[in-house]
């Protein structure tokens, strides 16, 4: 059976630099930083006092107020972004037949899930006893509930679950959604990731792991991938949702096609719980796998949205991996890290960065890596520092790696018959 081609027909984004796909792109083109002092809790005793919060988000635009109160913020973000994406795709669930709803699935994940809910309910139990625990505690907390609630809200009965792989979560969900369509299990998939881990235990936990930047004096510019002064990632939050659709299905209904998914790759470092393989072998394997799956030569890739978290070890390891895979072309393609602007959205990162890659194709413009001042001799690629760069982008790849040694690469291409 011929492989079913899969295209992107809708996108929704909630990011620290824009609460829509359009404002997200504008924020990237302006080189906007989402980092600022944390407002959600008192940071007096925390090593890191800043993050990339989702400023100005109003759940009531997308959710009934009563329903919103029964959802952790991560699920509010994911459902809201799915509403945006379906509207963007021109899919109105109220106008679909029951048979059509049978052919639409939802695979949306979260790296951590309802962390704020977990914190609140543990405190309640400790203070007032187990009888005071909310009956919504477990369903609000679990990482699959966002996918389930999107399915319930719209009546989509196709494949429905959440893959969880730390920061690689969204990419793995996109890959699973792609596979579901290619194997004929669905015609349309709602997919991506959502995260809301800017909480006391989230920040405190990543501080304990020595993963976060502690540059409180320069918070706005602390996410500085590939800069010699980088000292850790900046925690972010938000959601990204893609509507994937079988090509002929999309053409039949006259859908706008943003891009086609050309190839996917995934691998493991098999090295360390949190640190990357310093030689980048697993990351290189993921990229090679995606290129092979797409049937592309390295010279055909124009832009690569790097994982680029702004950690001392990670940025160097990924740079080495790119050189291994792309050879001389590594210096000809544009690479960048949009995490320099959004911070690290953990389980939502892959979906938000997939949207950035697709928009680079749509606009023939590469988003920048901001906050660069001092060169690191071990990071010597064209990282598109500080300002966007116009160039033809027909093929764009996105790398996302996660704690546990999970490596993922998705390659998008300009749609052509």
């Amino acid at each position: 059976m011929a492989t079913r081609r899969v295209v992107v027909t809708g996108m929704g984004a909630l990011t620290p630099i824009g609460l829509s796909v359009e404002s997200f792109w504008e924020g990237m083109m302006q080189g906007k930083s989402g980092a600022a002092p944390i407002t959600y809790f008192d940071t007096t005793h925390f090593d890191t006092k800043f993050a990339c919060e989702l400023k100005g988000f109003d759940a009531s635009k997308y959710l009934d107020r009563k329903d919103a109160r029964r959802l952790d913020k991560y699920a509010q973000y994911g459902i809201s972004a799915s509403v945006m994406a379906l509207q963007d795709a021109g899919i109105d669930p109220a106008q679909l037949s029951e048979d059509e709803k049978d052919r639409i699935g939802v695979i949306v994940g979260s790296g951590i899930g309802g962390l704020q809910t977990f914190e609140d309910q543990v405190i309640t139990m400790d203070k007032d006893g187990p009888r005071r625990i909310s009956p919504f505690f477990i369903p609000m907390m679990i990482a699959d509930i966002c996918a389930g609630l999107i399915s319930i809200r719209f009546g989509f009965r196709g494949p429905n679950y959440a893959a969880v792989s730390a920061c690689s979560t969204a990419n793995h969900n996109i890959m699973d959604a792609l596979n579901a369509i290619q194997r004929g299990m669905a015609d349309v998939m709602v997919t991506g990731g959502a995260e809301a881990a800017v909480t006391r235990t989230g920040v405190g936990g990543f501080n304990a792991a020595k993963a976060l930047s502690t540059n409180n004096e320069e918070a706005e510019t602390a996410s500085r991938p590939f800069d010699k002064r980088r000292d850790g990632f900046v925690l972010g939050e938000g959601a990204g949702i893609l509507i994937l659709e079988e090509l002929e299905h999309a053409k039949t209904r006259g859908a706008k096609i943003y891009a086609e998914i050309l190839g996917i790759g995934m691998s493991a470092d098999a090295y360390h719980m949190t640190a990357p393989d310093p030689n980048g072998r697993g990351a290189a394997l993921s990229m090679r796998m995606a290129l092979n799956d797409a049937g592309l030569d390295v010279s055909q890739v124009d832009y690569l949205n790097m994982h680029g978290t702004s950690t001392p070890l990670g940025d160097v390891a990924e740079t080495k991996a790119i050189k291994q895979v792309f050879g001389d072309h590594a210096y000809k393609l544009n690479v960048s890290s949009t995490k320099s602007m959004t911070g690290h959205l953990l389980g939502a990162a892959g979906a938000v960065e997939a949207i950035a890659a697709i928009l680079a194709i749509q606009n023939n413009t590469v988003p920048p890596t901001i906050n660069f001042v001092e060169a690191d001799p071990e990071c010597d690629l064209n990282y598109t520092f500080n300002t966007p760069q116009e160039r033809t982008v027909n093929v764009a790849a996105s790398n996302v790696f996660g704690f546990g040694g999970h490596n993922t690469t998705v390659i998008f291409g300009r749609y052509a018959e």
Side-chain angles (χ1 to χ4, degrees), residues 127-152:
K127 180 182 177 182
D128 300 320
R131 294 183 184 276
R132 300 300 299 171
I133 294 174
S134 168
F136 297 103
F137 169 38
I138 297 301
M140 286 176 68
M141 177 194 70
I142 52 180
D144 71 301
I145 202 65
C146 183
L149 290 171
I150 294 169
S151 168
I152 292 165

Side-chain angles (χ1 to χ4, degrees), residues 375-395:
D376 180 341
E378 293 191 89
C379 297
D380 61 348
L381 300 178
N382 177 11
Y383 300 104
T384 321
F385 281 133
N386 294 329
T387 57
Q389 182 175 330
E390 293 184 5
R391 66 169 289 171
T392 300
V393 182
N394 290 317
V395 177

Side-chain angles (χ1 to χ4, degrees), residues 139-281:
M140 286 176 68
M141 177 194 70
I142 52 180
D144 71 301
I145 202 65
C146 183
L149 290 171
I150 294 169
S151 168
I152 292 165
R153 173 165 177 160
F154 301 117
F156 297 155
R157 288 183 290 269
N160 177 237
Y161 61 93
V164 177
S165 54
C167 307
S168 297
T169 290
N171 263 12
H172 276 128
N173 283 268
I174 291 168
M175 293 175 184
D176 282 5
L178 169 77
N179 288 332
I181 295 174
Q182 288 185 332
R183 293 184 66 85
M185 297 176 180
D187 297 320
V188 179
M189 293 296 297
V190 181
T191 189
E195 203 77 84
V198 183
T199 72
R200 287 173 293 174
T201 53
V203 174
F206 281 118
N207 270 156
K210 306 298 182 185
L212 292 183
S213 170
T214 56
N215 192 352
N216 298 301
E217 294 74 23
E218 300 176 290
E220 187 176 357
T221 61
S223 185
R224 48 185 67 161
F226 321 115
D227 188 292
K228 190 175 181 179
R229 304 163 302 143
R230 66 191 184 276
D231 71 326
F233 75 79
V234 177
L235 187 59
E237 61 173 358
I241 297 292
L242 305 179
I243 305 301
L244 304 190
E245 192 163 354
E246 191 273 326
L247 175 59
E248 296 305 319
H249 187 276
K251 288 166 65 176
T252 297
R253 68 180 190 87
K256 176 180 179 178
I257 296 175
Y258 284 103
E260 181 174 3
I261 299 185
L262 301 180
I264 60 173
M266 59 186 102
S267 69
D269 276 353
Y271 176 76
H272 187 270
M273 187 184 300
T274 56
D277 180 339
N279 296 312
R281 180 167 182 168

Side-chain angles (χ1 to χ4, degrees), residues 279-345:
N279 296 312
R281 180 167 182 168
L285 177 60
S286 177
M287 286 184 274
R288 287 195 184 101
M289 190 182 297
L291 287 163
N292 182 65
D293 187 45
L296 292 173
D297 182 78
V298 295
S299 64
Q300 293 174 275
V301 179
D302 303 301
Y303 169 52
L304 172 59
N305 189 302
M306 293 179 66
H307 184 55
T309 58
S310 188
T311 60
L313 296 177
D315 292 0
V316 173
E318 187 175 8
T319 296
K320 289 180 179 178
I322 291 170
K323 292 177 184 178
Q324 291 172 40
V325 173
F326 289 91
D328 292 341
H329 188 63
Y331 295 93
K332 299 175 183 177
L333 58 79
N334 277 74
V335 298
S336 73
S337 172
T338 49
K339 289 185 179 73
S340 59
M341 296 175 276
T342 66
H344 192 351
L345 274 65

